[in-house]
Amino acid sequence: MENIKRAHNLFKKEKSEYDKAYEYYRGNTDAISNYKMVTERSNIKINVNFLKKFIKEEVSYSVGNDITYISKSGDVNVTNDIDYYLDHWDEDHDSKLMKAMILYGIAYELYYIDGEENNLNARVLTPRNSYVVYDNEGYITHFVYVYSEYKDNKQESFFKVYDKNNINLYNQNFELISSTPHTFGMVPVGIAKLSDELIYDTLFKDIKGLQDALETNLSDISNEISDFRNAYLTFTGCELEEEKAKEMKKNGIIQIPIAEGKVAWLIKNINDTFIQNTLSTIEDKMYQITSHINHNERMQSNVSGIALRSKLVSLEEKCKLNQKALSNCIKTRLKILFKYLKAINDENYDYRDIKIKFTPNIPQDDLATAQMISQLGDRLSTETALSLLSFVENPSLEATKANSELISAIENDGDMGNE
């Protein structure tokens, strides 16, 4: 329990940093919250959420297409069971997990058995409401989920502590309320971690300052333009009564009482080039730091597909790292799933037999891939060849179908020949 209490104190200390990242994702930035108001002047606040844009792009690129599971031993049953027993999960489950991992640097996948239908389910949790306790050798000993409930108009905190055998419920004073056994034989949580630096190696930390600068400058120039409407008409060498000024404004005529009098507009001189250069520089730095590209830039009409793909190299390499980090969590998912299948069907599957394949969510040249497969001929297995095609979701099942159709066609030809 002492280890859990120490981890809980660290959790409370770091939670504010993760809360800040979440607020930035929602658009509640320091630039907007702390924008300095000027009395009797325009005070427009402009929010331009590049953090959300970049995270959504990386999520879409990395897991926009379904993850494919391939059996290294060619066992069709195991891949079919994975698809079947995970099919009731939300379609955007992996997207939620990836989004949380990219935003916070770490995310958790908590596994549990649905009491009503006895299905294996998973829930995505974040460091804003959960934390992991490790032993001295770096192995997970406990996973803690923190939540609150209102009772008698009072908010009370509770802790669900998962170990390898039980789910223990504690109140806010760490007093045990209940204990329920589970059947997984391990702490039922998968961890998707970008790097050991956690939130300090995220898009949030990389562009927070640039995001604030861009929103502040955009708000300032917008307010300058709005205040530009308040140009003043100056009269030199003469006096004008208020009623007379209103009459001239209404009639659209200005009459100067003396010959030496002058009338002119007093307006601001805004250096739009300097402002535009500043905004463009900030925006460009954000794209450079995040390895993203600006898809709104006008491109030449004769740019080749290879040239377009080369512009995505940095982003593609970054998303590969995201996928590898998520793969570590999916391996734990498979461990839990196979334990579940062992319990209900007495199936003996090994998670190490499964290859996890991601297909980037970008236009794929399947024609060129098909030509390459054709040239390789018998040197490439059917299942591996099918896994290279972007439109094939289950290569094992597809190979089985193709083989069955081939056998059926041969048998039909034989029957016709006998006739």
Side-chain angles (χ1 to χ4, degrees):
M1 181 55 67
E2 290 302 318
N3 288 342
I4 295 176
K5 289 182 178 180
R6 283 195 294 268
H8 186 71
N9 290 332
L10 181 61
F11 161 77
K12 291 192 296 184
K13 181 180 178 181
E14 296 177 341
K15 185 176 183 300
S16 59
E17 195 76 47
Y18 294 109
D19 287 341
K20 175 67 73 174
Y22 177 68
E23 290 302 319
Y24 265 69
Y25 184 81
R26 294 178 59 194
N28 299 329
T29 62
D30 289 343
I32 297 298
S33 302
N34 303 327
Y35 188 72
K36 295 180 180 179
M37 301 294 188
V38 181
T39 306
E40 301 299 332
R41 302 288 291 277
S42 175
N43 288 296
I44 299 170
K45 294 189 285 187
I46 298 179
N47 179 242
V48 186
N49 201 333
F50 271 87
L51 177 64
K52 180 185 289 186
K53 168 184 168 62
F54 290 150
I55 289 177
K56 284 183 175 292
E57 280 185 358
E58 291 189 19
V59 170
S60 176
Y61 189 100
S62 301
V63 293
N65 290 322
D66 291 339
I67 297 172
T68 302
Y69 301 96
I70 303 171
S71 171
K72 299 175 185 176
S73 63
D75 187 351
V76 178
N77 293 327
V78 63
T79 53
N80 289 342
D81 280 349
I82 292 173
D83 287 340
Y84 180 80
Y85 286 99
L86 299 183
D87 190 62
H88 63 281
W89 287 18
D90 292 343
E91 291 292 330
D92 61 346
H93 176 85
D94 289 323
S95 298
K96 292 177 181 177
L97 182 60
M98 177 71 80
K99 184 194 81 172
M101 182 188 70
I102 296 174
L103 177 58
Y104 303 113
I106 189 170
Y108 307 109
E109 189 173 66
L110 178 65
Y111 311 104
Y112 62 96
I113 303 297
D114 185 347
E116 296 182 358
E117 300 182 0
N118 202 36
N119 288 327
L120 176 67
N121 286 318
R123 180 180 180 185
V124 176
L125 298 175
T126 73
R128 297 179 63 233
N129 54 24
S130 309
Y131 58 93
V132 174
V133 182
Y134 300 92
D135 62 15
N136 293 331
E137 296 181 355
Y139 293 103
I140 300 174
T141 60
H142 299 87
F143 176 73
V144 184
Y145 168 52
V146 184
Y147 66 98
S148 298
E149 290 183 355
Y150 281 93
K151 292 186 177 181
D152 300 327
N153 295 323
K154 291 177 61 178
Q155 183 177 0
E156 296 185 27
S157 296
F158 296 91
F159 309 92
K160 275 189 177 180
V161 180
Y162 297 79
D163 59 29
K164 65 179 182 179
N165 297 313
N166 300 295
I167 306 172
N168 301 314
L169 179 62
Y170 294 88
N171 62 16
Q172 57 192 6
N173 297 320
F174 285 98
E175 297 171 341
L176 182 63
I177 298 175
S178 65
S179 181
T180 306
H182 64 74
T183 60
F184 294 117
M186 59 182 287
V187 181
V189 65
I191 302 176
K193 184 171 69 171
L194 274 179
S195 69
D196 292 336
E197 289 74 27
L198 301 178
I199 197 170
Y200 297 100
D201 189 22
T202 60
L203 288 170
F204 164 68
K205 277 296 185 180
D206 287 344
I207 68 170
K208 177 183 180 297
L210 290 168
Q211 176 78 37
D212 287 334
L214 180 63
E215 290 182 345
T216 300
N217 289 334
L218 275 175
S219 299
D220 285 345
I221 186 55
S222 178
N223 290 322
E224 285 289 348
I225 294 171
S226 296
D227 289 335
F228 190 77
R229 296 176 304 168
N230 297 328
Y232 292 92
L233 188 63
T234 61
F235 288 78
T236 305
C238 61
E239 294 183 1
L240 190 66
E241 296 179 356
E242 183 177 351
E243 293 298 325
K244 191 67 175 178
K246 291 181 179 179
E247 182 181 347
M248 287 191 294
K249 182 178 181 181
K250 178 180 179 182
N251 297 328
I253 298 173
I254 296 178
Q255 183 178 14
I256 304 176
I258 59 177
E260 293 80 9
K262 294 182 180 179
V263 179
W265 284 105
L266 178 62
I267 61 176
K268 295 180 180 180
N269 182 18
I270 300 177
N271 190 335
D272 59 332
T273 302
F274 170 76
I275 294 169
Q276 186 57 50
N277 287 342
T278 301
L279 296 176
S280 297
T281 300
I282 294 173
E283 186 174 323
D284 182 61
K285 291 299 180 185
M286 281 200 283
Y287 278 107
Q288 289 183 30
I289 290 174
T290 60
S291 299
H292 286 244
I293 64 171
N294 189 350
H295 295 282
N296 297 322
E297 286 183 347
R298 183 176 299 176
M299 297 184 181
Q300 296 179 1
S301 59
N302 61 346
V303 175
S304 66
I306 296 176
L308 290 173
R309 184 66 184 270
S310 66
K311 292 175 68 68
L312 289 168
V313 168
S314 295
L315 178 59
E316 187 170 353
E317 294 300 321
K318 186 175 184 180
C319 288
K320 283 182 179 178
L321 297 178
N322 294 343
Q323 292 167 348
K324 287 182 180 295
L326 193 67
S327 293
N328 294 329
C329 181
I330 294 176
K331 288 180 181 179
T332 305
R333 180 191 301 176
L334 294 175
K335 286 182 186 179
I336 293 289
L337 174 62
F338 292 164
K339 286 178 178 289
Y340 168 77
L341 293 178
K342 173 65 176 176
I344 65 171
N345 294 337
D346 198 29
E347 297 284 1
N348 289 301
Y349 294 137
D350 188 346
Y351 77 95
R352 289 166 292 193
D353 179 50
I354 304 301
K355 177 178 175 58
I356 303 165
K357 182 177 182 296
F358 294 87
T359 304
N361 188 24
I362 58 175
Q364 301 289 322
D365 192 352
D366 286 322
L367 177 60
T369 303
Q371 291 173 344
M372 176 189 68
I373 293 172
S374 177
Q375 292 175 0
L376 289 172
D378 297 336
R379 286 172 288 181
L380 194 66
S381 69
T382 303
E383 184 175 342
T384 300
L386 289 171
S387 70
L388 300 175
L389 300 173
S390 63
F391 55 86
V392 177
E393 295 183 357
N394 190 331
S396 298
L397 181 60
E398 199 67 32
T400 301
K401 288 181 179 180
N403 190 46
S404 298
E405 290 176 359
L406 179 61
I407 293 174
S408 177
I410 292 174
E411 291 176 348
N412 290 335
D413 289 342
D415 292 339
M416 293 178 64
N418 293 331
E419 294 177 0

